[in-house]
Every structure is written in structure tokens, then in C-alpha cells.
């Protein structure tokens, strides 16, 4: 094979593989819950596929072949993770590696089913992390991507009965870990959600603790991955937030920039202490809204800001 033929083969392979980058990244993210690991696994998938290109016999589509490589790579990562205790109380608190996924990158995927809201929200992602590796893969392939049982079994090198059994067990676990009132979640940007968002932003920037409390549901939950600690209840959350908003330990002035993550409203919080010129990044809050109230807040560190295209200061 000449150098020009090798070069053309490389170009053709890269072009075909890149067509599936976005959906593979979302697939790996669903399995792992970590955006950074998903990015790495897509690159690893392409590298493994290139090295094994001569073994691709065309019995399945190139896309299915990439999914097989990506899924197995993710299962290897899951198996290498240290065992950790989980609870039924607050799934997000049990997933210290959980990271948000910017909506701007989700929008890069043309297939709406691949990034359907109910299968990319943080509560769903956190619940998936409670499944054993194979059950996790089966659930995502069957219930999220809609793969037939026989194709799922072929990808996982298992039998159809085994895949069906794993799917039933996975569904039982998911029902246990997903919030009970999931049907009441906000269906996306709408007048009611926008009103809650305005209240949250106004309360933060005015350091108005009472207004903030009025935006929270009585049994609201708050977590801060990778910190395993979690808090439930409006009074408990307000008691923790109040000192950074008002009083001698307050961070100072606050500024909020709205964004979206995992098809949910998200907010980049910046603070400026007295005498400082710029607002500096503090955290990224992702909200789950039910009706007219905030039911859940997951706070991520400000190292996520660059991924969302957020400024270093403002």
C-alpha cells in the first residue's frame, strides 16, 4: 500500500468516525456520569478502532462497531472504580465523579432521541451509576437508545435471555433511585420555570435570604459533588447558604450568569469582595424545578466554567 493510499485511508476513517463523536460522547457520559472520562473514552474508542480496523468485517454497521468498542471501554473503567457505599436517600451524593454536560454540546447532536431530556438529566445519570456495569449497559442500549435485545446481546457477547433479565433488574433499581415525582418535573423552559429562575437569580444577586427560601421546595435537596455530604430541607439549605450571603462571613456582592446543563437550568455564580475590581467564579448550580419551586440543587466547582464558555471574571 502506497503512502498516498494510507493517507486516504486515514482521512476516510477519521471522517467516518467523527460523524459519531457527539453521540458516542453522550453514550459514554451516560454510562460513566463523568464528562471528562467520556471525552477520554471517545478518543480511546477511535484509537482502538483504528488499530483494529482490519478486523472490521462489516457484519454490523460501522456505528454499531464503534458502540461496541466504546461500551466495552466504559465497562472496563467501571470495573476499575473502587467500590463505594451507596444509599437510597440521595443518588447524586453517592456519585462523587458526577459532572454536568453543557446543553450547547448536547445541541451538537442532531438526533433528538440521543439527548432526550429525561435520559440526560442529572437525577437520571446519578441513578444509572447505581447499576452494576452490565445492567447499566443494557439499560442504556435498550431503554435509552432503543436497541433490540438481539443486537444488545451481540454487542455484550451475551444471550438474549440474559440481556432481558438484566434489563428487568436494572429497571427495578432505577425506580428505587429516581425521584418519586419525576412526572411533575419542569418540561423545559416555560413561563413557570422562567419565573422560578428569575426569583433564584434575583435572590442571589440581592443576597435576599427570604426570597431565596421562597423559591425552594420544603424538602429541597442540595449536594456538592465530589463532596459526599448532602442536605435535605429548605431550612437546612438556607442555614448553610445564609452566612455566605449576609453577615461578617459573606462573600460580598454576587453576580449570576444563566446557562443550561443536562437540559436543566444552570447558573454560574461569581462573587466580589469589598475592594475588589472583578467578580470571581465560585460555583455552578444546576437546578431541578418542580412546578413553581426548586426541588434539587447540585453545585459543581468553578473548574467547569471553561467547558460552558463562561468568563474567568466578570
Amino acid at each position: 500500500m502506497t503512502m498516498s493510499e494510507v493517507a486516504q485511508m486515514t482521512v476516510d476513517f477519521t471522517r467516518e468516525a467523527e460523524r459519531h463523536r457527539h453521540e458516542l460522547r453522550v453514550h459514554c457520559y451516560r454510562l460513566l456520569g463523568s464528562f471528562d472520562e467520556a471525552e477520554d473514552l471517545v478518543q480511546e474508542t477511535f484509537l482502538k478502532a483504528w488499530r483494529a480496523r482490519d478486523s472490521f468485517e462489516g457484519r454490523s454497521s460501522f456505528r454499531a462497531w464503534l458502540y461496541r468498542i466504546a461500551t466495552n471501554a466504559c465497562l472496563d473503567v467501571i470495573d476499575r472504580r473502587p467500590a463505594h457505599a451507596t444509599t437510597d436517600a440521595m443518588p447524586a451524593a453517592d456519585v462523587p465523579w458526577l459532572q454536568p454536560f453543557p446543553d450547547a454540546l448536547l445541541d451538537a447532536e442532531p438526533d433528538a432521541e440521543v439527548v432526550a431530556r429525561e435520559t440526560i438529566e442529572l437525577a437520571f445519570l446519578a441513578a444509572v451509576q447505581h447499576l452494576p456495569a452490565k445492567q447499566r449497559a443494557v439499560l442504556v442500549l435498550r431503554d435509552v437508545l432503543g436497541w433490540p435485545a438481539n443486537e444488545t446481546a451481540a454487542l455484550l457477547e451475551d444471550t438474549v435471555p440474559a440481556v432481558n433479565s438484566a434489563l428487568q433488574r436494572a429497571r427495578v433499581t432505577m425506580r428505587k433511585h429516581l425521584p418519586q415525582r419525576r412526572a411533575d418535573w419542569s418540561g423545559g423552559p416555560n413561563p413557570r420555570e422562567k419565573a422560578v429562575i428569575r426569583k433564584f437569580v434575583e435572590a442571589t444577586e440581592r443576597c435576599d435570604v427570604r426570597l431565596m427560601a421562597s423559591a425552594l421546595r420544603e424538602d429541597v435537596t442540595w449536594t456538592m459533588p465530589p463532596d459526599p455530604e448532602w442536605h435535605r430541607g429548605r431550612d437546612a439549605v438556607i442555614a448553610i447558604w445564609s452566612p455566605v450571603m449576609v453577615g461578617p462571613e459573606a462573600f460580598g456582592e454576587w453576580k449570576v450568569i444563566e446557562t443550561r446543563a443536562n437540559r436543566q437550568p444552570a447558573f454560574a455564580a461569581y462573587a466580589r469582595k469589598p475592594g475588589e475590581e472583578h467578580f470571581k467564579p465560585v460555583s455552578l448550580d444546576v437546578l431541578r424545578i418542580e412546578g413553581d419551586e426548586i426541588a434539587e440543587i447540585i453545585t459543581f466547582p468553578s473548574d467547569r466554567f471553561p467547558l460552558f464558555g463562561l468568563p474567568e471574571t466578570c
Side-chain angles (χ1 to χ4, degrees):
M1 185 176 294
T2 66
M3 291 295 293
S4 61
E5 289 174 329
V6 172
Q8 186 59 50
M9 179 186 295
T10 303
V11 169
D12 293 343
F13 177 90
T14 301
R15 182 186 300 115
E16 182 64 18
E18 286 294 332
R19 290 179 54 232
H20 306 289
R21 174 179 290 276
H22 296 306
E23 62 176 306
L24 287 172
R25 178 168 55 188
V26 174
H27 177 62
C28 293
Y29 175 69
R30 280 200 183 94
L31 291 173
L32 301 174
S34 165
F35 182 91
D36 293 344
E37 287 183 318
E39 285 273 76
D40 292 342
L41 264 292
V42 173
Q43 290 301 116
E44 182 178 327
T45 296
F46 288 169
L47 180 59
K48 287 183 175 180
W50 171 252
R51 289 173 175 171
R53 62 191 182 281
D54 292 339
S55 67
F56 177 59
E57 300 175 347
R59 295 176 182 175
S60 62
S61 68
F62 185 74
R63 174 177 180 264
W65 186 57
L66 289 178
Y67 265 91
R68 176 194 292 270
I69 297 172
T71 300
N72 286 325
C74 288
L75 296 182
D76 289 341
V77 170
I78 295 167
D79 288 339
R80 291 197 299 267
R81 280 177 174 166
H84 68 287
T86 63
T87 69
D88 296 339
M90 187 58 202
D94 297 329
V95 189
W97 57 83
L98 186 67
Q99 293 176 337
F101 200 119
D103 272 21
L105 295 181
L106 291 175
D107 293 338
E109 171 52 51
D111 188 346
E113 290 301 317
V114 172
V115 290
R117 178 186 176 95
E118 64 271 16
T119 65
I120 204 67
E121 289 164 322
L122 287 170
F124 179 86
L125 267 295
V128 167
Q129 304 306 301
H130 289 263
L131 300 175
K134 183 164 288 189
Q135 288 185 31
R136 193 181 308 189
V138 169
L139 180 90
V140 170
L141 291 168
R142 296 280 283 113
D143 280 0
V144 176
L145 298 178
W147 283 37
N150 62 326
E151 292 183 17
T152 301
L155 184 149
L156 296 173
E157 298 181 349
D158 211 334
T159 65
V160 170
V163 162
N164 289 335
S165 177
L167 179 59
Q168 293 306 315
R169 295 196 302 273
R171 287 171 174 170
V172 170
T173 301
M174 290 294 288
R175 284 194 292 270
K176 182 170 65 173
H177 287 287
L178 283 171
Q180 294 182 352
R181 290 192 290 263
R182 197 175 185 213
D184 299 330
W185 295 9
S186 166
N190 59 65
R192 296 177 70 185
E193 180 182 277
K194 290 178 181 178
V196 178
I197 290 173
R198 285 195 299 270
K199 182 182 290 188
F200 181 86
V201 172
E202 183 179 354
T204 301
E205 295 190 335
R206 286 172 42 187
C207 296
D208 190 328
V209 177
R210 289 187 177 181
L211 183 62
M212 178 64 74
S214 70
L216 305 180
R217 203 174 69 183
E218 185 176 0
D219 61 346
V220 64
T221 56
W222 175 47
T223 55
M224 293 183 63
D227 188 340
E229 184 177 3
W230 65 279
H231 304 274
R232 184 186 298 277
R234 180 191 300 131
D235 293 343
V237 173
I238 289 299
I240 296 172
W241 283 20
S242 291
V244 302
M245 298 177 70
V246 295
E249 298 180 4
F251 283 21
E253 298 179 79
W254 288 85
K255 184 178 181 62
V256 173
I257 296 179
E258 296 184 37
T259 184
R260 292 191 69 85
N262 299 75
R263 301 304 190 204
Q264 298 171 242
F267 305 87
Y270 296 78
R272 181 173 66 183
K273 295 180 179 180
E276 293 184 341
E277 181 179 358
H278 300 291
F279 287 84
K280 297 180 180 179
V282 177
S283 61
L284 180 74
D285 298 317
V286 182
L287 312 185
R288 174 165 59 85
I289 297 174
E290 291 184 12
D292 299 318
E293 297 174 305
I294 298 170
E296 180 181 9
I297 304 169
I298 303 182
T299 298
F300 297 96
S302 59
D303 64 3
R304 298 290 94 191
F305 281 24
L307 182 61
F308 284 78
L310 294 162
E312 294 182 4
T313 60
C314 60

